[in-house]
Each structure stands twice: as C-alpha cells, then as structure tokens.
Amino acid sequence: MKLLILDRDGVINQDSDAYIKTLDEWIPILSSITAIARLSKAGWTVAVATNQSGIARGYYDLATLESMHARLRQLVAEQGGEVGLIVHCPHGPDDGCDCRKPKPGMLEQIAAHYATELAGIWFVGDTSGDLQAALAVDCQPVLVKTGKGERTLAKPLPPGTLVFDDLAAVADQLLS
Ligand SMILES: O=P(O)(O)OC[C@@H](O)[C@H]1O[C@@H](OP(=O)(O)O)[C@@H](O)[C@@H](O)[C@@H]1O
Ligand SMILES: [Mg+2]
Ligand SMILES: [Zn+2]
C-alpha cells in the first residue's frame, strides 16, 4: 500500500518551543494541508505519529489535542482528501513508554493498524528523534526544513536521510 507517515508539529503545522497548547496555537502550514490532500486523492494513506508530552506535563488535555486533529481532518477534507490514523504519545521523557519517539512504537502501531510492513515506508519529520524512530524500524527517514528542521540540519544526519524544503516538496516527489 502507498503509506506515508508524518510527524505533526513542524511538518503539518507550525511548531513552538512553548508547545502547541491550544487550538488557536495550532497553525497549519497551508502547503502541507494541500500536500496531504493531494497525496490522499492520489491513493496514498497518510498517517501521523506525534509526541505530545505536553499532556504529561499538564499543558493541555486530550480533548484539546483531539480538537486540533479534528481541525486537521476538516481542513484536508475541504480539499477533497482525508487523513488516516493519527497516533500520539501522551507521555513524558521520563515515563519509560514504548511509544515516545525516538522509539518506534507509534510507527509499529500504524503498521499494525494497516496490516503492512514498515520497511522502506517514508517517515517525514523535523527532528533527530523522528529520524531515529524511522531508522529503528527500517523506514526511510525524511527531514523537512520546516519547524525544527533547520536546527536538525545543522547537525550530522543519519546516512541515507532524504531532505526536502517542506511537505509540499515531499508530495511533489512522491507524485512525480
Ligand atoms: O513534532 P511532534 O512529535 O509532532 O510534537 C512535538 C511536540 O510534542 C513538542 O515536543 C517537545 O519536545 P519534548 O516532548 O519536550 O522532548 C518540544 O520539542 C516542543 O517544542 C514540541 O512542540
Ligand atoms: Mg515535529
Ligand atoms: Zn508514549
């Protein structure tokens, strides 16, 4: 199946060092919304794997997180596309969970949901943790320069990492 997995903050929407704590702070990268719709309409399944330690930290609750994801789904649907499974890790760095990136647990959840293998599946992120999670399960690590991507690019990347300006450029490549 044509499956693409995305990180959320910094790839689909703007990120902030102060976390994305409210629906109003969830500001879509409009070209990314269009990219998701384009891919979806072309037969791609677009899933999301996102760390949301802000829940463990008490910055926002699950209902607020889900309101952001409802907004994402609405924006993509308005362009004729749809968003697939969205998986989040609500835990903090010290909780020892299996789902927080750079661990690959969320990617494995997505693969199990779709009954597919992960090898070679592109995982698009903006941080080194995203790239490490991809490598842990033989996904293709893909870095975009949006969000924290430029900071990530300033340090050595895992061999084989693909780099694109933004998700729109990733979609252009996949749809070419
Ligand atoms: O990029 P994704 O995985 O979709 O989400 C990242 C967010 O959960 C937050 O992750 C935090 O990292 P810590 O969780 O505090 O290490 C910080 O980097 C925040 O700036 C960022 O908004
Ligand atoms: Mg991110
Ligand atoms: Zn977790």
Side-chain angles (χ1 to χ4, degrees), residues 89-91 97-100:
C89 165
H91 307 111
C97 72
D98 291 330
C99 44
R100 178 180 161 84

Side-chain angles (χ1 to χ4, degrees), residues 11-94:
V11 175
I12 297 172
N13 56 280
Q14 295 181 18
D15 198 0
S16 165
D17 288 341
Y19 298 77
I20 307 302
K21 303 179 289 300
T22 67
L23 182 56
D24 285 347
E25 289 180 2
W26 188 86
I27 301 169
I29 298 170
L30 295 179
S31 62
S32 293
I33 300 297
T34 300
I36 295 168
R38 287 174 62 210
L39 286 160
S40 166
K41 288 186 284 187
W44 284 80
T45 296
V46 181
V48 180
T50 178
N51 282 354
Q52 290 301 323
S53 70
I55 291 179
R57 300 172 192 278
Y59 296 161
Y60 47 90
D61 60 15
L62 184 60
T64 299
L65 183 72
E66 288 175 345
S67 73
M68 298 173 196
H69 297 167
R71 175 67 55 81
L72 166 60
R73 293 186 185 278
Q74 173 198 359
L75 291 173
V76 172
E78 286 170 359
Q79 297 189 31
E82 68 176 314
V83 181
L85 181 65
I86 301 174
V87 179
H88 73 274
C89 165
H91 307 111
D94 302 328

Side-chain angles (χ1 to χ4, degrees), residues 7-11 15 101 126-127 130:
D7 167 57
R8 193 195 81 178
D9 296 335
V11 175
D15 198 0
K101 297 174 289 184
D126 66 323
T127 66
D130 297 326

Side-chain angles (χ1 to χ4, degrees), residues 99-153:
C99 44
R100 178 180 161 84
K101 297 174 289 184
K103 289 183 180 176
M106 289 190 284
L107 301 180
E108 291 168 330
Q109 287 179 53
I110 290 168
H113 176 81
Y114 290 108
T116 189
E117 299 297 321
L118 282 169
I121 297 292
W122 287 26
F123 178 44
V124 184
D126 66 323
T127 66
S128 58
D130 297 326
L131 305 178
Q132 294 306 324
L135 289 167
V137 284
D138 202 22
C139 282
Q140 169 61 57
V142 181
L143 178 69
V144 287
K145 297 178 183 178
T146 50
K148 296 185 172 70
E150 291 285 5
R151 285 188 226 174
T152 306
L153 200 52

